[in-house]
Amino acid sequence: MSDFSMYHALGQASPNPNAPPKQNEAAKFRPPVAASPGGYQQVGSPTYSAPPNQYIGTSGANTQSYGTPAQEQSYFPPQPPLPAANEGNMANLTSQMGGVGLGVDTTGHSKAHKKKDRHAYHNIEGPGGSSQAFNGMPQSGTGNTTQFLNQNGPQTGGAAQWGSPQITPAMSQFPASANPLFSPANPASAMQHAARASTPLTGTPASSSQGRVDPEHIPSIPRSRDVPAKFYMEHVYPTMEQHLPPPATVPFVAFDQGNSSPKFARLTLNNIPASSDALASTSLPLGLILQPLAPLQEGEQPIPVLDFGETGPPRCRRCRAYINPFMTFRSGGNKFVCNMCTFPNDVAPEYFAPTDPSGVRVDRLQRPELTLGTVEFMVPKEYWAKEPVGLRWLFLIDVTAEAVNRGFLDGFCEGIMSALYGSASAEKEGDKQDEASQRKLPPGAKVGIVTFDKEIHFYNLGAGLDQAQMLVVPDIEDPFVPLSEGLFVDPEESKAVITSLLTQLPNMFSEVKNPEPALLPTLNAALSALSATGGKVVCSLTALPTWGPGRLFLRDDGNMQNTDAEKKLLTTEHPGFRKVATKMVESGIGIDFFMAAPSGGYLDIATIGHVSAVTGGETFYYPNFHSPRDTLKLSKEIKHTVTRETGYQALMKVRCSNGLQVSAYHGNFYHHTFGADLEFGVIDADKAIGVMFSYDGKLDPKLDAHFQSALLYTTASGERRVRCSNIVASVSEGAAEAMKFVDQDAVVNIIAKEAAARMAEKSLKDVRGALTEKTVDILAGYRKNFTGNNPPGQLVLPENLKEFSMYILGLIKSRAFKGGKEPTDRRVHDMRMIKAMGSLELSLYLYPRIISIHNLDEKDGFANENGHLQMPEGIRASFSRVEEGGAYIVDNGQVCLLWLHAQVSPNLLEDLFGEGYSSLKQLKAFQSTLPVLDTHLNAQVRNILQYLESTRGSKALTLQLARQGLDGAEYEFARLLYEDRNNEAQSYVDWLVHVHRHIQLELAGQRKKEDSGDGLSATASTFVGLRTPYWG
Ligand SMILES: [Zn+2]
């Protein structure tokens, strides 16, 4: 029996030193907000005075109006809102719904309006205000933003769930429960307390009982992001009192109360069914998404680093779990009982502290390891594989003809300089700053440079030299490292030598121009150079490496879709590359590739990227690199790679309570044998791992389930540490309670990672079929087991999985999994990326953010009275939402398009791009940023872009123009409209109808697994064995 008194209840009697700010301080929390890049001030705005670190404001009086004088905030004349936004879908839907025996309104709509209706949704200032367009949910919680503050639990729908504490009945076990309910901005109301009571589970009907499915009323991802985003702008997320994390795309400040922040760990189910049978009734995976080095945001406490000296952190003698807030003390403080395996350990004398009458250690509040979910331990020599040193960065630079000709070499060298020393303009500003703040790499970190074509060139960068000395290794059959001193140097001490070399490299090799790079020998040379210490390699490549040992050839001739041969193209059996990958991990080395195919050629990313996937690195891929447009992105991404939190020589172990066991890991790492620790050459802030669990017994509903991830790694500054994250979930007998605490982002992420892992063994068609089956299984399981008295023809979606089917449709339409032609380089790149993506980056990848900028509210893109950026609401990814004359930002975390309608207002263009740019044709096709102008709109859009840039994964944000009828990027725009029929798959509405039909068949006992009707899963019969348990 675990009642809360076992755990030293947080803050009984004495205040917690980590207590969150009180109400009046809560407003200080804000999402990352940076100053407007150009320090833009509106001319003639006397009231303007923006505090530093806030978005720049302008006076509303200067707002221009575009187009006809009658309207405001709009660039084109208003059109009357039309009722049927998506007539084609409606008609289609009508017939399909009719097919499943629903009472469907078959009258449809007159086709006479069809053409006009394509741009129908045009409700700028219509009745109901701006929330009208996002009226995605017909049930409770629609639109009314005041509702979500005090409404009750997750079962009520809409936005209601974000404000109230989601506390399970078993929550009384948690340490924090002894506290009065914590809500920093709003003290808990009676409503919030009432919300703790369990209420009958109901779902969201996506179709009304009349059988009409209104495309307006199917669950909206933009809305599911916007509403909580507003809430968490003003509120922190307390990790024990709330047990359903914000959606992954939402910036939030977590307050660690003993349970790890969702930024580090997200469980698919925050309430876990006691038995595998109960879990099976949901068809949901039990899993954990871990992003151990995830970045914190402004307002969050840094992770404490604890030093227990020679003895290291206290650990359970039996299961080796690290000390954490859920371990309990007994016998007056002489014993601690492990929360994973219940073993009673002796407390070492140096760690002893007496307990008070309630069993709480008297020093608990001074001990972060007993109060925080995520801490870091310094570890003694037993944890070392080799003497830890500052991280060594080795840049391998491709200097072959293609790299020189296409400007990639220039861009890469510039990127390294910007990563090490900041951009030229920043340097000027930096005159006033002290050296420490200018330093981009932590003290102790070193850098080395190697270039390669048919030969390998090392450089002595010693600080005493006038210029770098090149040493050529002509023997690529047996490469060696020709120098012991001067290869790795302090980037500050050797700044002159390094910058002069990087500046000269493009010229130096413009005369040589070898066409073929010898990559594998270069990787082996890098391995030798770093094997003693470990480190990180950053390698550029612009052509298929066709020279020397390990040369590759064109494997993908573009004609292997849907064949068994295609599967082989997504993986590699090349012994040389596999071997170098394994050896690198063993030596604590990881590699990031920056690969460009300027002429659109094949690079065999399956083989080359294997080395980064196995070593924990990343592949940045520029499929159609065009230097004027893409150099900025390249440079920013190199800088991000070098400056993001990076550790190396890492091992990871995940432990869980008795009754559960790890059943699978998904991600980019090396796994020797099952049961062994995961090994990473390198690991960085953006990388996530999926862990799946299975039952090896029955859980006790009276106890909680505990999980602990421990990442042993060396920091970039050369300290050996363990980062420990602890996650707790309540347990209940059946699964009904679990359905209320489903984390949609974690479920989608686990399923996506698993699907990516299957690509090597199953055909893409089978994987898509299995994703469809899985979607039907989960939603049918919910309908069968957990819904009440909904009419039989109604599609009922679990409250916390309302957008789930759209995310899975996004996955089916992604480059990794989509049907039809797709170069295998792109498929395999995206597949590996999905395996390592954190929840934020994946969510954006599966459904882009789209913001219309032609009808922004005057205050959008500026700080509100609390200093938080007011963001416009997102719009659905469908062409039916695109307005004539409109301008849209489309960001999926990988690319950011600026789509401009052919009839866009000339005034808008001039406000955005400056005088002289009043037509689409006058714009510079390859510009990747907006100029800094003195217009309201320009400042708004730059601020919005800055917000988007601060809320994403590993890819840099630069603009790419997609002008209607002019730019190739229009195809990418169309591809990203995931609610439409595209990418060889259905529209969102049709997809829901399809899923609904199969749910109905399942309920009627007539579901045939071998026919899901759309050709997606024609071979699903092969998955019968895989359906339960999940994937088999
Ligand atoms: Zn233990």
Side-chain angles (χ1 to χ4, degrees):
M1 168 67 202
S2 94
D3 69 87
F4 68 82
S5 62
M6 277 175 61
Y7 309 126
H8 358 265
L10 244 177
Q12 275 178 334
S14 56
N16 178 357
N18 290 309
K22 297 292 181 287
Q23 188 173 349
N24 59 347
E25 289 171 289
K28 283 188 185 165
F29 288 115
R30 59 190 56 155
V33 170
S36 187
Y40 164 70
Q41 289 197 16
Q42 177 75 27
V43 178
S45 168
T47 55
Y48 168 74
S49 74
N53 205 22
Q54 291 202 357
Y55 287 88
I56 303 306
T58 59
S59 152
N62 292 310
T63 308
Q64 296 186 31
S65 79
Y66 306 92
T68 60
Q71 51 163 352
E72 289 171 29
Q73 308 304 323
S74 173
Y75 291 98
F76 45 84
Q79 297 172 2
L82 291 165
N86 204 334
E87 196 176 333
N89 280 338
M90 276 301 294
N92 196 1
L93 184 74
T94 302
S95 66
Q96 294 196 46
M97 294 303 271
V100 292
L102 298 179
V104 172
D105 175 4
T106 51
T107 54
H109 292 271
S110 155
K111 285 195 173 174
H113 295 296
K114 196 162 185 179
K115 206 166 179 183
K116 216 169 157 190
D117 289 356
R118 279 179 52 221
H119 308 293
Y121 209 83
H122 200 90
N123 190 356
I124 298 162
E125 290 293 333
S130 60
S131 69
Q132 178 91 358
F134 304 94
N135 192 5
M137 282 149 280
Q139 74 299 345
S140 62
T142 42
N144 184 350
T145 47
T146 59
Q147 213 172 357
F148 68 82
L149 290 175
N150 289 313
Q151 265 290 357
N152 72 357
Q155 66 281 3
T156 54
Q161 68 210 53
W162 301 113
S164 52
Q166 293 100 30
I167 298 177
T168 61
M171 193 69 184
S172 63
Q173 305 170 42
F174 298 144
S177 62
N179 280 341
L181 205 58
F182 163 69
S183 179
N186 291 355
S189 67
M191 277 285 265
Q192 280 175 310
H193 283 288
R196 301 171 66 176
S198 175
T199 53
L201 198 64
T202 58
T204 302
S207 60
S208 75
S209 51
Q210 285 79 44
R212 180 195 285 255
V213 177
D214 185 344
E216 289 295 319
H217 286 173
I218 57 178
S220 158
I221 288 181
R223 187 179 153 73
S224 76
R225 292 169 173 172
D226 289 341
V227 174
K230 277 194 184 124
F231 178 81
Y232 281 105
M233 225 171 239
E234 313 287 342
H235 297 80
V236 302
Y237 176 78
T239 64
M240 288 301 287
E241 281 148 46
Q242 277 180 263
H243 241 200
L244 198 55
T249 54
V250 168
F252 64 96
V253 170
F255 170 53
D256 186 338
Q257 297 176 306
N259 195 24
S260 275
S261 161
K263 287 173 185 172
F264 302 116
R266 294 181 87 112
L267 266 175
T268 55
L269 300 169
N270 292 292
N271 175 289
I272 298 175
S275 66
S276 61
D277 285 351
L279 177 68
S281 70
T282 68
S283 288
L284 288 166
L286 176 58
L288 189 56
I289 301 296
L290 293 165
Q291 195 174 341
L293 299 179
L296 295 169
Q297 80 181 51
E298 194 186 328
E300 290 186 317
Q301 299 276 351
I303 305 303
V305 181
L306 311 172
D307 191 350
F308 287 83
E310 289 294 295
T311 57
R315 300 177 68 177
C316 173
R317 211 149 58 82
R318 188 198 275 166
C319 74
R320 307 299 290 148
Y322 290 82
I323 188 83
N324 65 69
F326 303 98
M327 287 193 170
T328 50
F329 288 82
R330 274 193 200 159
S331 310
N334 283 299
K335 297 261 184 199
F336 69 96
V337 180
C338 176
N339 60 323
M340 302 284 161
C341 71
T342 69
F343 183 77
N345 293 273
D346 291 335
V347 174
E350 63 273 17
Y351 192 58
F352 175 80
T355 53
D356 72 11
S358 60
V360 176
R361 266 177 77 116
V362 295
D363 66 347
R364 179 171 198 260
L365 297 176
Q366 284 76 54
R367 294 227 165 250
E369 75 278 13
L370 299 179
T371 50
L372 296 177
T374 303
V375 293
E376 212 157 78
F377 300 111
M378 300 275 284
V379 288
K381 282 202 169 105
E382 301 94 272
Y383 294 77
W384 296 3
K386 49 186 80 160
E387 177 89 26
V389 296
L391 181 55
R392 299 191 167 192
W393 292 87
L394 184 57
F395 296 97
L396 306 182
I397 307 174
D398 174 358
V399 291
T400 53
E402 190 78 338
V404 175
N405 295 344
R406 303 292 182 150
F408 198 75
L409 176 56
D410 255 320
F412 197 71
C413 291
E414 253 178 60
I416 297 172
M417 280 191 279
S418 142
L420 297 180
Y421 308 113
S423 58
S425 58
E427 213 171 312
K428 279 179 215 148
E429 290 165 26
D431 286 347
K432 298 166 214 145
Q433 297 169 355
D434 56 332
E435 204 212 333
S437 66
Q438 267 188 49
R439 213 183 161 93
K440 302 287 174 193
L441 296 184
K446 293 187 172 180
V447 300
I449 292 173
V450 167
T451 56
F452 67 102
D453 45 24
K454 284 158 82 170
E455 300 169 334
I456 307 169
H457 328 107
F458 285 79
Y459 295 87
N460 183 344
L461 302 172
L465 298 170
D466 289 338
Q467 59 173 39
Q469 288 171 347
M470 185 204 270
L471 294 101
V472 180
V473 180
D475 181 8
I476 55 171
E477 295 293 330
D478 187 18
F480 61 96
V481 181
L483 72 171
S484 55
E485 290 291 312
L487 175 56
F488 290 103
V489 296
D490 181 299
E492 294 303 324
E493 287 170 12
S494 294
K495 184 172 175 179
V497 182
I498 292 173
T499 49
S500 126
L501 173 65
L502 289 172
T503 314
Q504 288 169 27
L505 276 179
N507 271 335
M508 277 164 62
F509 287 94
S510 63
E511 302 296 313
V512 184
K513 288 196 180 173
N514 272 313
E516 296 174 291
L519 179 63
L520 187 60
T522 310
L523 296 182
N524 278 313
L527 174 63
S528 314
L530 285 167
S531 61
T533 56
K536 176 141 190 180
V537 179
V538 179
C539 179
S540 70
L541 189 73
T542 47
L544 190 65
T546 46
W547 188 263
R551 58 183 169 269
L552 302 174
F553 58 94
L554 182 71
R555 294 201 288 160
D556 183 5
D557 61 5
N559 293 317
M560 295 193 193
Q561 283 94 40
N562 304 320
T563 64
D564 271 358
E566 187 180 25
K567 251 184 329 202
K568 282 197 179 151
L569 298 179
L570 301 177
T571 171
T572 185
E573 281 156 19
H574 195 291
F577 280 88
R578 293 182 74 93
K579 192 170 160 199
V580 76
T582 317
K583 286 196 154 182
M584 278 189 173
V585 184
E586 283 169 359
S587 309
I589 304 165
I591 182 163
D592 284 1
F593 283 104
F594 286 79
M595 299 173 74
S599 336
Y602 176 69
L603 288 174
D604 199 351
I605 289 180
T607 297
I608 297 166
H610 172 83
V611 186
S612 56
V614 166
T615 60
E618 180 165 358
T619 300
F620 294 83
Y621 179 39
Y622 308 87
N624 298 299
F625 183 82
H626 183 63
S627 133
R629 179 190 64 210
D630 298 328
T631 294
L632 180 65
K633 190 163 199 281
L634 170 65
S635 164
K636 279 182 162 187
E637 285 171 356
I638 295 168
K639 188 171 180 180
H640 179 71
T641 280
V642 173
T643 51
R644 66 184 164 187
E645 175 124 44
T646 300
Y648 71 104
Q649 209 179 347
L651 293 173
M652 187 166 189
K653 176 90 181 166
V654 178
R655 295 180 171 83
C656 56
S657 291
N658 285 347
L660 294 172
Q661 61 190 4
V662 173
S663 60
Y665 295 102
H666 297 295
N668 291 336
F669 46 73
Y670 182 64
H671 202 191
H672 217 271
T673 48
F674 194 76
D677 293 351
L678 306 181
E679 295 179 43
F680 300 82
V682 291
I683 184 164
D684 62 63
D686 297 314
K687 297 298 174 296
I689 301 106
V691 189
M692 307 266 292
F693 301 95
S694 62
Y695 291 77
D696 63 4
K698 194 169 179 296
L699 303 181
D700 183 348
K702 293 192 290 298
L703 299 176
D704 299 324
H706 296 274
F707 304 84
Q708 182 180 71
S709 81
L711 178 77
L712 171 65
Y713 73 109
T714 305
T715 65
S717 54
E719 282 179 351
R720 197 76 175 147
R721 298 182 187 170
V722 170
R723 177 164 292 199
C724 225
S725 283
N726 296 281
I727 307 93
V728 65
S730 50
V731 176
S732 55
E733 194 63 51
E737 202 59 30
M739 291 305 294
K740 295 183 195 167
F741 295 92
V742 178
D743 182 334
Q744 179 167 269
D745 284 292
V747 171
V748 169
N749 200 317
I750 282 274
I751 289 176
K753 284 187 167 40
E754 176 125 50
R758 299 283 151 173
M759 276 175 79
E761 47 192 84
K762 301 279 172 202
S763 74
L764 288 166
K765 197 173 165 190
D766 285 351
V767 173
R768 288 191 299 269
L771 287 169
T772 307
E773 294 287 307
K774 190 71 203 166
T775 307
V776 174
D777 285 349
I778 290 172
L779 298 178
Y782 176 73
R783 192 70 170 88
K784 237 192 296 192
N785 303 313
F786 307 108
T787 56
N789 299 321
N790 298 79
Q794 204 170 49
L795 172 60
V796 187
L797 303 172
E799 202 51 53
N800 295 327
L801 292 170
K802 280 203 301 287
E803 297 81 23
F804 170 73
S805 37
M806 182 60 235
Y807 279 116
I808 297 295
L809 182 61
L811 186 63
I812 287 171
K813 291 182 172 188
S814 71
R815 281 218 157 85
F817 298 107
K818 71 188 264 294
K821 269 197 174 219
E822 190 68 31
T824 54
D825 269 351
R826 296 206 78 153
R827 280 203 195 281
V828 73
H829 170 260
D830 282 29
M831 181 262 277
R832 291 200 180 117
M833 199 168 69
I834 289 170
K835 280 167 88 174
M837 268 179 177
S839 299
L840 163 62
E841 191 169 11
L842 183 66
S843 180
L844 293 176
Y845 177 77
L846 298 181
Y847 194 98
R849 297 183 275 218
I850 304 183
I851 291 165
S852 65
I853 56 170
H854 54 276
N855 54 1
L856 289 173
D857 184 274
E858 177 190 323
K859 291 181 183 146
D860 284 340
F862 292 107
N864 66 15
E865 61 276 12
N866 293 329
H868 304 305
L869 181 76
Q870 175 172 321
M871 276 293 285
E873 286 170 331
I875 67 164
R876 286 174 181 255
S878 165
F879 199 75
S880 66
R881 310 294 162 142
V882 170
E883 298 175 323
E884 220 166 292
Y888 298 87
I889 294 169
V890 183
D891 173 32
N892 75 339
Q894 308 294 310
V895 293
C896 182
L897 305 175
L898 177 57
W899 188 85
L900 299 165
H901 188 275
Q903 265 95 55
V904 69
S905 148
N907 292 346
L908 180 144
L909 292 180
E910 288 205 324
D911 278 2
L912 208 49
F913 297 100
E915 268 178 53
Y917 298 101
S918 57
S919 77
L920 291 188
K921 282 201 174 142
Q922 287 170 320
L923 301 182
K924 288 176 247 163
F926 301 118
Q927 69 185 87
S928 53
T929 54
L930 287 179
V932 177
L933 301 176
D934 272 6
T935 67
H936 190 81
L937 180 72
N938 179 275
Q940 281 180 304
V941 176
R942 282 186 294 115
N943 281 337
I944 289 168
L945 290 173
Q946 210 161 39
Y947 170 89
L948 299 180
E949 184 157 32
S950 70
T951 317
R952 63 205 287 111
S954 66
K955 304 301 186 298
L957 185 145
T958 55
L959 275 186
Q960 183 165 355
L961 285 192
R963 296 167 295 174
Q964 194 181 27
L966 290 176
D967 294 314
E970 256 211 290
Y971 293 102
E972 184 68 1
F973 173 66
R975 199 187 71 76
L976 289 174
L977 296 176
Y978 280 163
E979 293 202 16
D980 294 339
R981 180 180 177 83
N982 54 22
N983 299 291
E984 314 250 327
Q986 297 152 305
S987 70
Y988 184 18
V989 172
D990 289 347
W991 164 247
L992 273 185
V993 169
H994 172 80
V995 168
H996 186 199
R997 190 165 66 223
H998 285 78
I999 293 171
Q1000 301 238 322
L1001 290 172
E1002 174 73 28
L1003 294 179
Q1006 294 169 351
R1007 181 173 164 212
K1008 288 182 193 153
K1009 272 84 190 187
E1010 60 278 346
D1011 175 27
S1012 62
D1014 62 346
L1016 281 180
S1017 50
T1019 55
S1021 55
T1022 59
F1023 281 86
V1024 170
L1026 298 179
R1027 287 187 55 244
T1028 321
Y1030 178 54
W1031 288 101

